[in-house]
């Protein structure tokens, strides 16, 4: 078992993504890692059933990353084995006119998971700091005040029963180049290629600085950020899976006792 | 390969669920069936990626069944291998006050899948005929007019790019008893047990008659109903999977051609 605490950002701890490794293996071979992933996937399936049976808590998972950082493939690989009926995945694209006419938490709040359900945000309200900040889409005073709003919002979610786990999938600028090149090289990936992703590379350092600040200021004891080295995909999946399983295991859930005596029921 | 046409309800064809088998194997052993399921699952994964890459069509899948008929487990088993980011599963429970204050299609319409996405309805607008009819929750003139409304609604969906496939998971009253008893016998299933499911058994024949009528009147060439023998779960999954794969295969999708020359792009 790997120690996910290595990737957890302790509250109040300084974060400089520039200095954090984007590749790791936790001392495991790929074969050992894949084996761990299989057994964690099975455990996640059981835990998800318990979460749903109890309907006392829900779990919100946030993925943020640079373009081609692996938000889609992590979602697919971590959650393919779970029950899709109790899973809600939401991708947040560029906000539309209606969304922009509301506060920045309005559109995400509508998609937080109800009790019993695991919700996944592919991008999230953190875009409204990072992307907005880098591209100066709003006055800086406005987006800077959002760190506090996010902390209050996530505190409310946790207080009301929605656990929150946030993962920054960390890759290097060179690795991103490889992944974008792959979209050019493979006919079945052309549709994923966007010139905007290439243009954004110009602002790489600014993005990284703002992500560093957001992660530093918004990693709390109850709503933590993990910085996941993501250039080995199996290891990335393993860190995410292990963190989720640890969080759900800590609830020590059992199937609820029925409010009737099952032996007394006769089905006609 | 099994012939799913055996389970397709031809438009205008008379349907009497009382006379339709609830158990079948299509001449296959379980081993052969499971092998077919594995290869169809892989194909569904590829087809889903193409559907999303093209974003020209979407697919809505409707599951209806008697209680304990297997809507949840079919959803889980047929869709676990697909990409959860491009899948939307929606369970419709008893309508709430706001939903009841709208027309019966209002709440389902909000959850039809956007282009590129596969949507699954676990129960649907058909409850507003069958359950409403059996329990006389609305005047009969009202719910009887809904056959026509449903046909118009689904015709609109198909015309606008959302393909519709509907599956009735067919079980016998005895088999239902076995499945409900299982929920009483197993501690990890107690939470699924509901007395209302037992009470509904009194109206078994009425439910079956109304389902027969709904399926007969609402199976159209473009929005067909399948009656799936569901007491062998692997065979049920196979029929559903094969029907979905056939429908998507018929689109003869390719990855879209890029609107630029991939060889001309240099990533800095």
């Amino acid at each position: 078992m790997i120690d996910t605490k290595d990737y957890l950002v302790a509250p109040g701890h300084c974060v400089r993504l520039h200095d954090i490794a984007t590749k790791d293996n936790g001392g495991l071979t790929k074969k050992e890692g894949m084996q761990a992933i299989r057994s964690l996937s099975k455990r996640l399936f059981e835990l998800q059933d318990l979460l749903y049976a109890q309907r006392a808590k829900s779990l919100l998972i946030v993925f943020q990353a640079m373009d081609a950082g692996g938000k889609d493939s992590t979602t697919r690989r971590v959650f393919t084995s779970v029950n899709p009926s109790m899973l809600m995945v939401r991708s947040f694209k560029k906000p539309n006119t209606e969304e922009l006419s509301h506060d920045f938490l309005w559109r995400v709040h509508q998609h937080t998971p109800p009790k019993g359900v695991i919700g996944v945000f592919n991008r999230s309200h953190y875009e409204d700091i990072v992307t907005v900040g880098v591209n100066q889409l709003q006055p800086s005073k406005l987006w800077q005040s959002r760190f506090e709003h996010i902390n209050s919002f996530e505190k409310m979610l946790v207080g009301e029963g929605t656990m929150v786990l946030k993962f920054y999938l960390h890759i290097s600028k060179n690795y991103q180049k490889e992944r974008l090149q792959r979209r050019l090289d493979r006919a079945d990936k052309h549709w994923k290629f966007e010139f905007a992703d290439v243009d954004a590379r110009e602002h790489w350092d600014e993005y990284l600085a703002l992500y560093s600040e957001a992660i530093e200021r918004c990693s709390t004891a109850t709503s933590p950020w993990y910085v996941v080295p993501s250039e080995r995909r199996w290891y990335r999946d393993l860190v995410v899976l292990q963190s989720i399983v640890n969080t759900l295991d800590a609830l020590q859930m059992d199937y609820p006792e029925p409010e009737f005596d099952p032996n007394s029921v006769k089905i006609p």
Side-chain angles (χ1 to χ4, degrees), chain A:
Chain A
M1 209 176 93
I2 55 166
D3 191 352
T4 58
K5 286 215 181 61
D6 295 347
Y7 311 106
L8 178 72
V9 175
H13 212 272
C14 173
V15 175
R16 252 189 67 85
L17 286 171
H18 288 85
D19 300 336
I20 298 180
T22 53
K23 202 168 181 176
D24 195 358
N25 60 15
L28 300 178
T29 63
K30 182 172 178 183
K31 198 179 158 191
E32 289 165 337
M34 295 304 289
Q35 207 162 5
I37 285 172
R38 272 191 297 277
S39 86
L40 286 167
S41 293
K42 270 189 203 151
R43 183 64 188 147
L44 178 57
F45 182 82
E46 293 163 358
L47 287 164
Q48 185 201 23
D49 199 57
L50 283 160
L51 190 76
Y52 190 74
Q54 288 209 337
R55 271 178 252 199
K57 294 261 184 192
S58 56
L59 173 61
L60 173 63
I61 289 155
V62 171
F63 289 122
Q64 288 285 164
M66 298 297 224
D67 299 314
K71 298 179 300 296
D72 288 311
S73 73
T74 308
T75 303
R76 174 163 55 78
R77 291 156 58 127
V78 169
F79 296 105
T80 43
S81 63
V82 306
N83 188 334
S85 299
M86 314 163 192
L87 179 75
M88 288 170 54
V89 182
R90 184 78 193 182
S91 297
F92 292 99
K93 316 275 180 200
K94 206 173 154 179
N96 65 29
T97 313
E98 190 191 13
E99 290 166 345
L100 282 173
S101 73
H102 290 269
D103 67 82
F104 77 109
L105 294 171
W106 180 80
R107 69 169 183 161
V108 293
H109 204 167
Q110 294 174 48
H111 298 284
T112 51
K115 294 202 195 315
V117 171
I118 298 177
V120 178
F121 283 1
N122 183 326
R123 302 182 191 271
S124 66
H125 40 297
Y126 285 92
E127 294 285 334
D128 297 288
I129 288 178
V130 178
T131 305
V132 167
V134 170
N135 298 295
Q136 303 178 348
L137 302 174
Q138 307 261 7
S140 71
K141 207 177 153 182
L142 186 75
W143 63 258
Q144 275 164 8
S145 65
R146 289 179 175 168
F147 294 111
E148 194 187 329
H149 300 323
I150 286 181
N151 284 339
S152 303
F153 173 62
E154 292 181 359
K155 191 175 176 183
M156 182 279 292
L157 289 180
V158 173
E160 297 286 321
T162 300
M163 299 171 291
V164 181
L165 292 178
K166 299 169 288 189
F167 298 97
Y168 179 76
L169 308 176
H170 192 28
I171 60 170
S172 65
K173 197 173 175 185
N174 274 339
Y175 183 81
Q176 187 194 49
K177 187 174 175 175
E178 276 174 39
R179 301 303 295 178
L180 294 177
Q181 188 61 47
R182 190 163 167 268
R183 295 180 181 178
L184 294 169
D185 295 343
R186 284 181 49 171
D188 63 336
K189 302 287 178 198
H190 286 159
W191 63 278
K192 289 189 179 179
F193 185 84
E194 293 193 38
F195 284 97
D197 296 349
V198 176
D199 296 342
R201 284 171 63 78
E202 271 181 48
H203 301 287
W204 184 272
D205 290 334
E206 293 160 72
Y207 271 106
L208 224 51
L210 257 180
Y211 266 124
S212 300
E213 188 180 356
I215 292 169
E216 181 177 318
R217 294 182 62 175
C218 300
S219 193
T220 66
T222 52
S223 172
W225 269 105
Y226 292 83
V227 175
V228 183
S230 297
E231 294 190 15
R232 271 198 191 88
R233 290 187 294 163
W234 64 266
Y235 192 68
R236 171 199 70 191
D237 299 343
L238 179 57
V239 171
V240 172
L241 252 174
Q242 183 77 64
S243 308
I244 296 171
V245 166
N246 289 354
T247 301
L248 292 173
D249 262 332
L251 297 177
Q252 300 187 290
M253 295 181 282
D254 281 315
Y255 283 101
E257 289 294 322
E259 286 164 12
F260 57 93
D261 173 13
N263 296 315
S264 72
V265 182
K266 285 270 164 292
I267 302 170

